[in-house]
Amino acid sequence: MGRTADAIAEGVAIATAAARLVVKNHILVGTIAEGGVFDIDEYIADAREALRAMAEESEQAEKMLTELRKRARGRHSDSSGTHDYRDRDVRNLKRRAKQSHGVATKLRETMENPEALRVIVEEAREGAWADVRHNLDRRLRVEGMRPDQDPDYDTMREARMQALRLVDLQALSSQQRARRKLKKKQKAAEQEA
């Protein structure tokens, strides 16, 4: 593989990883936050959309690089900054535009490949589950820890007790008041009916 092929492969790998992250976040929100059920077809559409957005981004980059290359051609003076391209940059700009075109083309091909989309969704599902498992494990380890297992127990006890008084008990009290208020409203509505 040459430099251009390597750059295209790397760009596709990065874009695919980003698409996987988008789908993973959609899975977490859809199944946990919104209480939905995992439906692979729904998330395949999300994967396709994420790839489409990145393909469009690569196409925009190609257009911008082509325009920069046209402006740079024939300019032989010293550049005044990082993006002030000159004739000596034309070859590099052309290669970068070709790479962006290659990334966009590969992403569009992936968008039309149901098996590749399924792989992205399955990897995203595994990533979402790994996040959930890690969070549960961490919470169970911290919340289930016994005083004799925690070397900082005595040092942090006062801070935990203060947090309990100022945060947890206040929140619990607020929830209780809200429940009582809601019950009163429901009772009043039932009596009026």
Side-chain angles (χ1 to χ4, degrees), residues 21-105:
L21 184 62
V22 166
V23 174
K24 180 183 88 167
N25 289 338
H26 285 194
I27 290 170
L28 289 169
V29 169
T31 58
I32 295 173
E34 296 173 357
V37 176
F38 178 79
D39 177 6
I40 196 163
D41 293 327
E42 175 185 335
Y43 297 111
I44 282 177
D46 289 342
R48 185 177 288 117
E49 177 59 27
L51 290 172
R52 183 197 59 72
M54 286 176 245
E56 287 178 358
E57 190 177 308
S58 288
E59 289 163 349
Q60 290 294 345
E62 177 191 8
K63 287 177 186 174
M64 181 192 69
L65 289 163
T66 300
E67 184 59 38
L68 289 170
R69 188 185 79 226
K70 287 177 184 177
R71 278 192 269 158
R73 183 165 278 127
R75 295 177 74 190
H76 297 286
S77 61
D78 289 337
S79 66
S80 61
T82 308
H83 299 288
D84 186 22
Y85 297 104
R86 298 296 185 240
D87 195 71
R88 64 183 167 271
D89 300 313
V90 167
R91 209 166 105 204
N92 186 37
L93 290 168
K94 185 176 182 177
R95 182 175 49 251
R96 288 173 51 200
K98 185 177 178 181
Q99 292 165 349
S100 291
H101 176 78
V103 169
T105 300

Side-chain angles (χ1 to χ4, degrees), residues 7-19:
I8 291 170
E10 187 177 328
V12 170
I14 291 168
T16 303

